Amino acid sequence: MTGSVIEDVPVADTGTRLDSVAGGLHAVLGARSPEEHEQDAGTAFAALKDSGATRMLVPVRCGGTGASASAAVRFQLALGSMAPSAAIATTMHHYKIAALGRVAESGDAHARAILEDIAAGAKLIASGGAESTPGRDLRTLGSWATRDGEEYLVTGLKRPCSLSRSMDTLSLMVELRAPDGTPEGYAQAFVPADAAGVEREAFWQSPVFLSAESHAVRLSDVRVPHEGIFPLRGEVGRRFAADCYLWFQLLISASYLGIACCLAEATATSRRAGAGRWTAAVERIRRLEAEVLDAARAVDDGRPVGEQLNLAVRARDRVEDDLGDIGGRLLRAAGGATFARTGFYTMLAGALNAIAFHPPQRGAREGIGLELLDPETRKYV
């Protein structure tokens, strides 16, 4: 189901949300069921590129659509309701593009050139950002770039890395090093997916989000020209990091809410005796969406970045706290016969819990950009 068949499904305007950003996308995605997209998201990834959806958060002056944060949240929620893995995977593309777009809009020519290249080729960007490592903060990286004449040699490992097969470019957070190994700060390295020294290894074994293409990506002395290395120094580095975390919270929350909508739509015709439970779950989804949209409007209104980040993280926390229970209620509303006939609903309900595994996880909110979080937001609650 695509959100328009049943009157009271949580996303009745799915087509508008998608097509207002990327014309014709709704029809292409709707030609396959969500279950088919979960078996193979390749069609969805191709449609996102062909329709221009990958340019959604690239600034207009850089060749993109320049969508608002609110429009991007609505788009990702709608996408999640139709192709869950595609929504999760492309969150990794959009949040990095959005953060780089902020830098480009401030007048940074280097950022603008990178975005223009991405937009011109409708490139799909995989993101190698922070790893959530017990006992370490988000500044602990597993990748580095060593200066070597007019190039850098990039080495490291990102696992899991969504879009590992469909990506055109890997945007990787690296520690910069001088030829003698001396640390020189941090940077984003934009590595062509087909460059020599880029290898993909099996990693993801869970049936949940299997089509998000979450392999391990290993880089061994991959040569990247200077223009492909974007240093994160001073205020630019701090703001870029804060924006990465801000946009990630907004878009990952929207994507998981879309998955909850997918489950609600799938169970709508089976609810019978559980109608009240189903309706209550849908109402909670709508309230959570409203909270995420409030945080998105803070971005659109240009409020102080600290306020934006705190609102986004709090909204993500609320979504994280509620989605597991919502999934359980929707499963019970569908009934045991439905549960026995297919594992798809159970998979979706389980997938809703995975939002807790994305960084910055509670109890590990230290590192670049997160200093802007209020103490009560930063701590484990």
Side-chain angles (χ1 to χ4, degrees):
M1 297 181 189
T2 61
S4 59
V5 178
I6 300 171
E7 188 175 84
D8 56 353
V9 295
V11 196
D13 59 343
T14 300
T16 300
R17 291 176 181 226
L18 294 174
D19 289 346
S20 63
V21 170
L25 179 60
H26 181 253
V28 175
L29 293 177
R32 304 179 79 210
S33 69
E35 190 166 6
E36 289 173 314
H37 284 304
E38 287 310 284
Q39 293 167 359
D40 180 4
T43 300
F45 294 141
L48 289 164
K49 293 183 66 172
D50 293 344
S51 66
T54 52
R55 303 185 184 97
M56 175 173 68
L57 291 172
V58 176
V60 172
R61 69 179 63 184
C62 298
T65 305
S68 67
S70 300
V73 163
R74 293 188 178 97
F75 180 93
Q76 285 300 112
L77 192 151
L79 178 59
S81 74
M82 300 186 74
S85 285
I88 298 301
T90 55
T91 291
M92 312 308 165
H93 165 94
H94 291 304
Y95 91 86
K96 192 66 68 68
I97 294 296
L100 194 63
R102 294 282 195 105
V103 178
E105 290 280 58
S106 71
D108 190 290
H110 192 174
R112 182 170 180 172
I114 292 171
L115 285 172
E116 287 175 343
D117 177 67
I118 291 170
K123 292 181 178 179
L124 197 54
I125 310 300
S127 179
E131 295 287 356
S132 183
T133 305
R136 301 180 182 180
D137 69 28
L138 293 170
R139 286 168 286 201
T140 303
L141 301 179
S143 302
W144 57 93
T146 304
R147 280 192 290 114
D148 184 49
E150 294 301 312
E151 298 176 311
Y152 279 85
L153 296 177
V154 179
T155 296
L157 176 66
K158 178 67 177 83
R159 59 183 181 188
C161 181
S162 298
L163 295 172
S164 56
R165 296 207 181 280
S166 293
M167 67 177 177
D168 298 292
T169 301
L170 172 61
S171 173
L172 186 69
M173 183 76 167
V174 297
E175 179 187 341
L176 293 177
R177 295 180 179 178
D180 64 0
T182 303
E184 295 184 334
Y186 302 100
Q188 284 290 314
F190 290 86
V191 182
D194 59 356
V198 177
E199 299 179 352
R200 296 154 181 84
E201 302 171 356
F203 176 76
W204 197 270
Q205 298 183 40
S206 171
V208 176
F209 301 139
L210 193 59
S211 67
E213 302 180 352
S214 296
H215 298 77
V217 177
R218 187 179 299 276
L219 299 95
S220 303
D221 287 336
V222 179
R223 292 195 170 274
V224 177
H226 272 257
E227 55 267 27
I229 301 293
F230 185 74
L232 301 173
R233 300 190 176 103
E235 183 56 31
V236 168
R238 287 188 291 272
R239 183 59 192 268
F240 178 83
D243 279 333
C244 277
Y245 297 130
L246 160 67
W247 281 92
F248 183 76
Q249 307 321 308
L250 292 176
L251 299 178
I252 203 68
S253 298
S255 296
Y256 275 96
L257 286 174
I259 296 168
C261 292
C262 184
L263 179 58
E265 293 169 16
T267 57
T269 56
S270 305
R271 47 187 151 154
R272 294 186 299 278
R277 187 180 291 122
W278 185 93
T279 301
V282 168
E283 289 174 352
R284 287 172 67 186
I285 294 171
R286 289 174 175 151
R287 287 196 297 270
L288 290 170
E289 180 188 5
E291 188 162 347
V292 177
L293 283 170
D294 281 343
R297 281 189 283 270
V299 177
D300 295 333
D301 294 343
R303 294 185 219 168
V305 64
E307 181 181 352
Q308 295 176 29
L309 183 60
N310 277 281
L311 286 171
V313 172
R314 289 169 189 161
R316 180 255 175 94
D317 285 349
R318 187 69 60 84
V319 172
E320 181 179 315
D321 287 341
D322 286 5
L323 277 191
D325 183 64
I326 288 172
R329 288 176 179 272
L330 291 171
L331 275 184
R332 290 193 294 274
T338 300
F339 180 86
R341 285 195 301 268
T342 176
F344 182 58
Y345 300 169
T346 309
M347 186 275 289
L348 288 179
L352 294 176
N353 294 281
I355 188 173
F357 306 137
H358 295 281
Q361 295 177 12
R362 292 168 174 176
R365 289 176 176 170
E366 300 294 338
I368 303 170
L370 297 183
E371 292 83 358
L372 291 168
L373 288 179
D374 294 337
E376 65 271 20
T377 306
R378 186 180 300 154
K379 69 182 181 181
Y380 182 89
V381 291

